[in-house]
Amino acid sequence: MQTLISAAVQFPTAVFTFLLALIVLYWLLVLVRVAPLELFERDSLRDDHTASTLVSLGFAGVPATLALSILVLLAGAISLAVELLVLRWLPLGMLRVPVGVLVLWGSLAVASPIAAAICHALQRGLHRYQPFKRRCLLGATVVVTEPQQDGCATSLLDDEPNSFIKLHCKAGDTPRLGERRVLVKYLAEEGAYRSVLEQQYLETRVWLSKLRLHHKQQQRSNGYSA
């Protein structure tokens, strides 16, 4: 037990230990209804924020706080295992900091797809409860089942036959039967969502990624020229 505690407070695992302590405190506050479940959620995926970043990593359909909790828990477990099995036996000295940074990055990289898969598996059970059927659905894919003339439509969450979602689209973008669409904006006053075609959403994500990469390259070149 002493070895486990010692490893948990060593860098880099100490970072995850601290984050897990904050996460436990947060969920206690959620249970007593002091903190909101949708802490990081926004009404739209348009801007860069924690929720939209997690959606781009495959965590759509669950609250950002739940996704972050699972991600940190898994990454912390991986980091702890590396500490116990490898790092504690090496005379790292000052090299512990750069090696620790690599372990931090590697733990998150390995944990991310696993955490996304766990969140995806939890979706069906969570969506039975109303708090899990609001902003955290942004980024989820739906299939249109009943188009209407007023620009609205009824849809089903992909692979979830009992999760009905109301769509409210702009003029000229009326959903068609069988279309696969991605939820991109939550309309709280109507309890409905704005959506775009799945292919259009994927193409926009690719375009934005290229735009951000080009912007970063320009900043670096301007920095070098200065």
Side-chain angles (χ1 to χ4, degrees), residues 90-179:
L90 301 177
L92 294 173
M94 294 298 294
L95 289 176
R96 175 169 278 274
V97 174
V99 171
V101 171
L102 288 176
V103 173
L104 278 174
W105 179 86
S107 299
L108 289 170
V110 173
S112 181
I114 302 174
I118 292 174
C119 288
H120 183 73
L122 290 175
Q123 286 179 23
R124 184 169 297 184
L126 292 177
H127 293 164
R128 298 174 185 172
Y129 305 98
Q130 191 59 34
F132 295 94
K133 294 183 68 174
R134 297 195 294 253
R135 292 168 182 83
C136 63
L137 289 181
L138 295 180
T141 302
V142 298
V143 180
V144 179
T145 58
E146 188 180 345
Q148 299 174 9
Q149 297 297 326
D150 57 359
C152 296
T154 301
S155 64
L156 285 173
L157 282 172
D158 195 20
D159 297 328
E160 296 189 35
N162 296 318
S163 296
F164 291 94
I165 302 296
K166 180 182 178 182
L167 303 181
H168 189 174
C169 298
K170 296 180 179 180
D173 188 29
T174 303
R176 296 181 180 179
L177 181 64
E179 277 185 347

Side-chain angles (χ1 to χ4, degrees), residues 3-23:
T3 302
L4 192 64
I5 295 174
S6 177
V9 297
Q10 288 284 345
F11 182 79
T13 310
V15 175
F16 293 115
T17 302
F18 174 73
L19 291 176
L20 284 171
L22 290 180
I23 288 171

Side-chain angles (χ1 to χ4, degrees), residues 38-53 55 64 131 133-140 166 168 170 182-196 201:
E38 297 179 319
L39 183 62
F40 296 112
E41 256 69 30
R42 299 293 184 273
D43 286 333
S44 174
L45 294 179
R46 181 177 180 179
D47 300 319
D48 289 330
H49 46 72
T50 303
S52 62
T53 300
V55 167
K133 294 183 68 174
R134 297 195 294 253
R135 292 168 182 83
C136 63
L137 289 181
L138 295 180
K166 180 182 178 182
H168 189 174
K170 296 180 179 180
V182 177
L183 307 178
V184 295
K185 186 174 183 178
Y186 178 63
L187 306 174
E189 66 280 2
E190 301 178 26
Y193 297 83
R194 289 272 169 80
S195 64
V196 297
Y201 175 78

